[in-house]
Amino acid sequence: MRVMAQMAMVMNLDKCIGCHTCSVTCKQTWTNRSGTEYVWFNNVETRPGEGYPRRYEDQERWRGGWRLDRRGRLTLRSGGRLRKLLTIFANPRLPSLADYYEPWTYDYAALTDAPLQEHAPVARPRSLVSGEPMKISWSANWDDDLGGSPGLEERDVVLRQVSEKVRLEFEKTFMFYLPRICEHCLNPSCAASCPSGAIYKRTEDGIVLVDQDRCRGWRMCITGCPYKKVYFNHRTGKAEKCTFCFPRVEVGLPTVCAETCVGRLRYIGLMLYDADKVLRAASAPKETDLYEAQLEVFLDPHDPAVVAAAERAGIPPDWIEAARRSPVHALISTYRLALPLHPEYRTLPMVWYIPPLSPVVDAVRDTGEDAEDSGNLFAAIEALRIPVDYLARLFTAGDPAPVDAVLRRLAAMRSYMRDINLGREPDERIPAEVGMTGEQMREMFRLLALAKYDERYVIPPAHAEQAHRLDELATECSLDRDGGPGMGGWGPFGETSGGAAPVAVENFHMLRQRQTADRPAGPSETRGRVNLLNWDGRGRPPGLFPPRRDGAGPGGTASRAGSGAAETEHRS
Amino acid sequence: MISVVIGQVRRLADAAEGGRAGVEDVLLWAVLPYVAIAVFVLGHYWRYRYDKFGWTTRSSQLHENRLLRIGSPLFHFGVLIVLLGHVGGLLVPNAWTEAAGISEHAYHVAAVTLGTAAGLCTLTGLAILIYRRRTVGPVFSATTRNDKLMYAVLTLVVVLGLAATVAANLAGGGYDYRETVSPWFRSVFLLRPDPDLMADVPILFRLHALSAMLLLGIWPFTRLVHMLTAPIGYLTRPYIVYRSRDARLGARAPRRGWERIP
């Protein structure tokens, strides 16, 4: 047994209202730079729907993830090492920008600069890539809320896999939201695809990161990732991906997407797993066995043998304690409510989902029956094969049994708790029907409905005894190193020269530069056009505001920005 | 060290007086190669030390795939064969191939055929790539001045090389560069540069060699650096790379007196 710890996330899809707050805050934090305009480390898809990038689940086309070869051994679907090197000059399976979308902004200046005319002036869209006027035809969530639109049954990859009857009826049935981030897989195919070895999995917390200094832009990771969650920064020529907000997680804070989630549907915690079992689990012969196989990789942090092995593996006691309290462990292993997204890709993903019961509840309510009666709900789950089959295609490689069991537990909890809330005697037969006790059911309800911040996010800070050696802890000034850059700015040869700077230092400089700069971030050659997503509210991007008439000019703003800078420096 | 250099300079000065090579020949064929090599090596060291982040292919496949899918493999595989041909032609002496039983004529025919074919592939691929770079809007706007310079020099080198081969074989029934250019090339690396050898070489070959030295000189400062990190190690490394957070601690040197005790 080789115990390793993995930072993992569970999302409760019943609670997602599709507000995209996670996407926007994530974008403002990580990808509000030029070169990453089209990149959403976190995106929210409407299912049924095409997803982002379009039809990313079509692995016949994109060849992401792993498959078993004829001898039953695990191989990359896009081909082995030699094949990768031979196709390195033109990756045959790389999504083009059109498969994501062409990012754009608007000619805002036209709104204010236009002379008096009969018709109202129009801010025309312009491509942020080429700078040319463009026709907007697609974006990251273009099919938002269009779950049942005609023609979709042809474009949704998952919908095509379920039966004909389901496809014909799907528009009457359901729609839900699927927020997606990088899965931080136990068996990441992006890392396996990287020719340079720049993508690595951190041994401490399992977060998968791209070493920006080692990435050479060979683009194989983008093909390798079946979830298409590695992106190519077209300005720096490097791959970028969700970082699980590691600078925040290291100090015990949840990721930005979780922190800002309006529905409070995200849970973050540790999972202990046996690294020796990963390969065997990923090589399970039948795709429908992969969910169970992955469950067997996880270890029970309450088991003394596991604790002893974890201690031998150097996992600190506070981390083992956090693993015991982990809401993710409870939802995945104890209650078996959460399911992995597309286990058939064989990457052993570590962002799991509680499938939504709401389509079923809504369907029952529409018939006029009592939607919270357990008998009605159980019958409906059985009768409404459509959502179950679709969900099974998403979460269990098509096996409806685990999805059915999860939905039954959720339905039972609804009925059981309703009796309690209405002051009636709780019916202990309801939890018994799904193999639980009333006590377990109340605890499960507590975790799903009431859990506060510190119960939803059980994130042990990176080892306290290493605090001084961590990048992000501000226990000492990160700038005062011998011969370091001091407060003077960058190294001798421009922005990224002079070796790796700690992230905190980089962020500090970047923030200060942006806050004191007269011009906004982003390509300056597209004069008169502002990417509002890149604009942080500082400075006066040309074209956003009309020119001043009172003669103060940009000088007034500059002096304000200057005083802001002084404040910043004073505070630091 | 210094005395060796002085000795070399004396020897070259004598050669300039005694041999056929003039001062400019000495500069071009005995000094410039070392300048180019020095810039190439030190430039890469500097770039790797100070600009690891900029060390990338700067691929534009995201913007355009149709032309790239043809042009890029054509160019890259072509240029790899051309490179192998140069290694064979410049580093392997006549005597070795003759000892192996390959006649001069057979060698020449094989080299010219293969070299011309590979050279044409390279040039075609390069033409497609440059056409793509100019005509596809997003790709062109992602092109820096540095890229333009690099493309110009690279094209010059390829065109001159191909022209030298084709011209020599069409006009004069072939030129045996293995009697002159190759020994000169080896003499540079043996640290006994012999500019005399280059004195009577046809002008196209000389221009090709000079442009190649220019390319070597700008190489470390362009996107061409990606060649030196060709991911050969991928064939042998384990699929999943695990790295400890501790590995990054070297990013910040501990303060004096606070170094870790191993």
Side-chain angles (χ1 to χ4, degrees), chain A residues 14-28:
Chain A
D14 255 336
K15 292 192 189 180
C16 185
I17 57 171
C19 67
H20 299 274
T21 308
C22 46
S23 305
V24 170
T25 50
C26 172
K27 186 146 186 66
Q28 291 285 16

Side-chain angles (χ1 to χ4, degrees), chain B residues 120-143:
Chain B
L120 280 176
C121 282
T122 312
L123 197 61
T124 316
L126 192 59
I128 294 174
L129 290 179
I130 292 175
Y131 169 79
R132 165 181 181 273
R133 201 152 267 283
R134 184 61 195 87
T135 53
V136 179
V139 181
F140 187 56
S141 53
T143 308

Side-chain angles (χ1 to χ4, degrees), chain A residues 4 38 76 81 84-86 88-91 94-97 129 187-188 191-195 197 199-205 211-213 215-219 232 234 236-238 250 462-463 466 468-471 478 480 482 493 496-498 500, chain B residues 46 48-65 68-70 72-73 76-77 80 137-138 141-142 226-227 229-246 248-249 251-256 260:
Chain A
M4 290 183 87
Y38 77 102
L76 286 170
R81 302 165 196 264
K84 284 236 150 56
L85 290 195
L86 286 176
I88 205 164
F89 302 128
N91 181 350
L94 188 79
S96 72
L97 201 56
V129 175
N187 185 30
S193 307
C194 174
I199 302 187
Y200 62 99
K201 193 165 178 65
R202 293 215 298 196
T203 45
E204 287 86 357
D205 48 18
D211 184 338
Q212 291 287 307
D213 278 347
C215 174
R216 308 279 175 239
W218 302 119
R219 318 175 295 289
F232 189 74
H234 61 83
T236 62
K238 304 255 171 173
E250 279 177 5
H463 322 170
Q466 296 181 346
H468 276 262
R469 292 187 263 129
L470 274 174
D471 247 4
S478 50
D480 60 356
D482 287 339
F493 298 102
T496 48
S497 66
Chain B
W46 170 82
Y48 193 77
R49 183 120 167 62
Y50 286 106
D51 187 28
K52 281 202 196 100
F53 184 65
W55 196 297
T56 146
T57 56
R58 298 197 51 237
S59 162
S60 57
Q61 195 184 349
L62 190 70
H63 296 309
E64 200 278 346
N65 194 22
L68 181 104
R69 203 174 49 203
I70 305 163
S72 179
H76 280 98
F77 285 119
L80 280 177
S141 53
H226 72 266
M227 188 205 73
T229 48
I232 305 301
Y234 183 55
L235 292 173
T236 52
R237 80 161 162 81
Y239 263 142
I240 313 290
V241 179
Y242 286 95
R243 261 167 69 177
S244 173
R245 196 165 44 203
D246 291 5
R248 286 168 59 250
L249 292 177
R252 187 167 71 211
R255 281 185 299 166
R256 226 193 327 260
R260 290 164 78 185

Side-chain angles (χ1 to χ4, degrees), chain A residues 281-311:
Chain A
S283 321
K286 270 171 64 189
E287 286 186 344
T288 43
D289 291 340
L290 281 160
Y291 164 58
E292 285 291 335
Q294 188 170 0
L295 280 180
E296 276 164 33
V297 173
F298 300 139
L299 297 170
D300 179 8
H302 299 283
D303 182 348
V306 171
V307 172
E311 275 168 0

